[in-house]
Amino acid sequence: MENNYQLSRIHNYVMGLMSKEEMYAMEKEALEDPFLQDAIDGYRLQQGVDRQQLSILQQRLARKLESKARDKTKRFYSWQRLTIGLAAAVLFMVACSLILFKYLNQQRPNENTEVLLMEQEMRVSTTELTASDAQPVLGTNQFNEELNSELRDYKGPAEVRLKFVVENGKAKSVQIIESTDPELSKVIVGFIQDKITWKGNSGSLWIQVK
């Protein structure tokens, strides 16, 4: 339908059947579309040919116009598919980056904890004194590690000697025999009373902090 319309316009233009406004619009289009100008020039050259030849020329012109329209549509959809493909690729890369970033952030606290544990120096040592049968249920090594963690901010050196009795697994009646730091003594007493479960009857310990 559009091709027949174009042929009719070209015919009317060449034969002078258009108004001035229509001819001006046609000439403006021809300046912007070289193919239309060629069609107009070709139509002019065919003046005087019979109707059958003119019909053949019109058919050829119609086929060229259709081919041009198909090419334009094909290029449009090719660019459209390319644009969609590029947008999908960008979104995929962004999603992968976000997943990787989230994974790295989740791993970072564990790495920091491992570094902290590796850097924490053992500064506490415990020695059982004479007539002591009390033992921490978690074991002496674990006792020293937990006390070491409890005193991680303490600036030594210092030492504390103390004794206590065990009642129902808890240290009671704790007495300080000797101490180089009263504040440290309070922290250690609170630790062995509140955070440690004991076995045995009585304990006597010498705790050294480097």
Side-chain angles (χ1 to χ4, degrees), residues 93-168:
M93 293 179 65
V94 170
C96 290
S97 299
L98 290 175
I99 292 172
L100 179 61
F101 182 73
K102 183 177 180 180
Y103 172 78
L104 292 176
N105 279 345
Q106 289 175 344
Q107 295 299 314
R108 193 168 298 165
N110 293 335
E111 293 174 358
N112 291 340
T113 301
E114 291 175 0
V115 171
L116 180 62
L117 291 175
M118 290 176 62
E119 291 180 349
Q120 187 171 318
E121 180 186 359
M122 179 59 69
R123 302 166 54 225
V124 172
S125 63
T126 303
T127 304
E128 295 181 19
L129 300 177
T130 307
S132 174
D133 65 350
Q135 294 285 332
V137 172
L138 50 73
T140 302
N141 290 336
Q142 187 66 29
F143 172 85
N144 286 339
E145 289 180 7
E146 292 195 11
L147 181 57
N148 187 73
S149 179
E150 187 81 10
L151 301 177
R152 61 183 175 274
D153 297 327
Y154 178 77
K155 306 298 182 182
E159 59 181 62
V160 176
R161 296 173 186 261
L162 54 81
K163 63 180 181 178
F164 57 90
V165 296
V166 178
E167 297 179 6
N168 298 321

Side-chain angles (χ1 to χ4, degrees), residues 40-97:
I40 293 172
D41 294 340
Y43 201 92
R44 280 200 183 101
L45 294 174
Q46 300 304 321
Q47 288 182 5
V49 300
D50 58 32
R51 294 179 63 84
Q52 184 178 1
Q53 289 177 327
L54 185 59
S55 178
I56 294 173
L57 289 173
Q58 289 176 337
Q59 292 175 10
R60 291 178 180 174
L61 180 59
R63 286 196 293 270
K64 288 184 179 180
L65 290 172
E66 290 175 358
S67 176
K68 182 180 179 183
R70 285 196 300 268
D71 290 343
K72 184 181 293 185
T73 301
K74 184 177 180 181
R75 285 195 299 271
F76 172 76
Y77 284 111
S78 296
W79 278 106
Q80 189 179 50
R81 285 195 293 268
L82 180 59
T83 302
I84 293 173
L86 290 173
V90 170
L91 289 175
F92 177 76
M93 293 179 65
V94 170
C96 290
S97 299

Side-chain angles (χ1 to χ4, degrees), residues 160-165 171-178 185 189 192-193 203-205:
V160 176
R161 296 173 186 261
L162 54 81
K163 63 180 181 178
F164 57 90
V165 296
K172 303 291 184 179
S173 303
V174 181
Q175 298 180 16
I176 302 299
I177 302 172
E178 181 181 350
S185 299
V189 169
I192 66 174
Q193 283 183 323
S204 181
L205 302 178

Side-chain angles (χ1 to χ4, degrees), residues 13 18-31:
Y13 176 78
M18 284 184 169
S19 65
K20 290 183 179 181
E21 291 78 9
E22 290 175 332
M23 292 183 68
Y24 174 75
M26 189 73 171
E27 290 169 355
K28 185 177 180 182
E29 289 181 35
L31 289 174

